[in-house]
Amino acid sequence: MTATGDRTPLVAGLLLAAGGGRRLGGRPKALLSHRGRPLVENAVRVLREGGCEVVHVVLGAAAGTVRERAELTGCVLVENPEWAEGMGSSLRAGLASLAADPRGVDAALVFLVDQPGIGAVAVARVRAAYRSRDSLAAASYDGERGHPVLFGAGHWAGIAEGAVGDRGARDYLAAHRDAITPVDCSDVAEPYDIDTEADLAHLE
């Protein structure tokens, strides 16, 4: 990593945890049990162990219950009242929160709450791809782009502008494909999602 001025660049974790689990019978994904605790706690731990000391968590479905049940001390909690519109609204809310963080965040490492097969090693690898506020990097699995992804702050405005519905940053990344640094994580992580009842078998 290169220094920004006289300080070490700040790469913050941005955890998207607002989903309502529509295909899971309306069970919010953040509250699914994994190793005896809410899934959102696992994701925060992974981000911190991967080197993200600053973590912003976007909540939506059952946000009040998540605050009550999950141990999220030290995180910046961002409530997205428009969470039902899709991931795009949560990404916009999270990037706005990071932009307002007085610590001066240089890049966002975006992580999804429903991917417990991705651990701290993958987070650390993608985080290490930061070079400047213009950096773009993404984990890859057998040649396919996945999460986590790293967005230098220079890209946030453009990403937010195109983040609508469930597309998130997909269109922006497609338009900037040549600028993305791929980070192979195939050997250390499994990028499955917890989307359906059958997927619950992945939880411990």
Side-chain angles (χ1 to χ4, degrees):
M1 289 190 192
T2 58
T4 302
D6 295 325
R7 67 179 180 84
T8 301
L10 177 54
V11 178
L14 177 55
L15 175 60
L16 304 184
R22 180 172 50 84
R23 286 183 285 174
L24 290 167
R27 282 177 286 175
K29 292 184 177 183
L31 290 171
L32 295 174
S33 181
H34 182 55
R35 298 173 181 168
R37 298 299 302 163
L39 195 56
V40 66
E41 282 187 24
N42 173 76
V44 168
R45 176 185 56 78
V46 166
L47 284 168
R48 286 180 170 153
E49 290 181 356
C52 295
E53 296 179 11
V54 174
V55 178
H56 287 227
V57 182
V58 182
L59 303 177
T65 305
V66 175
R67 287 176 179 269
E68 292 171 5
R69 295 185 185 175
E71 174 51 59
L72 301 174
T73 300
C75 295
V76 176
L77 303 183
V78 184
E79 288 201 28
N80 173 23
E82 301 174 347
W83 64 268
E85 294 181 6
M87 187 190 301
S89 65
S90 291
L91 182 56
R92 292 196 308 271
L95 291 176
S97 179
L98 289 176
D101 193 307
R103 290 167 286 197
V105 179
D106 297 293
L109 192 141
V110 181
F111 195 55
L112 306 182
V113 74
D114 66 343
Q115 293 193 318
I118 299 175
V121 175
V123 167
R125 281 188 186 178
V126 176
R127 180 175 174 274
Y130 177 86
R131 293 295 178 269
S132 75
R133 290 168 69 92
D134 290 324
S135 291
L136 282 176
S140 68
Y141 302 91
D142 299 322
E144 296 292 323
R145 190 178 70 236
H147 283 85
V149 293
L150 184 143
F151 303 140
H155 295 281
W156 294 354
I159 290 169
E161 183 177 353
V164 295
D166 275 321
R167 297 193 66 77
R170 193 179 310 164
D171 292 345
Y172 188 89
L173 292 175
H176 296 77
R177 184 180 296 108
D178 293 343
I180 302 170
T181 299
V183 181
D184 185 28
C185 294
S186 305
D187 59 325
V188 295
E190 296 181 73
Y192 55 78
D193 301 303
I194 306 298
D195 279 335
T196 67
E197 293 284 342
D199 295 333
L200 295 174
H202 288 298
L203 299 177
E204 299 174 17

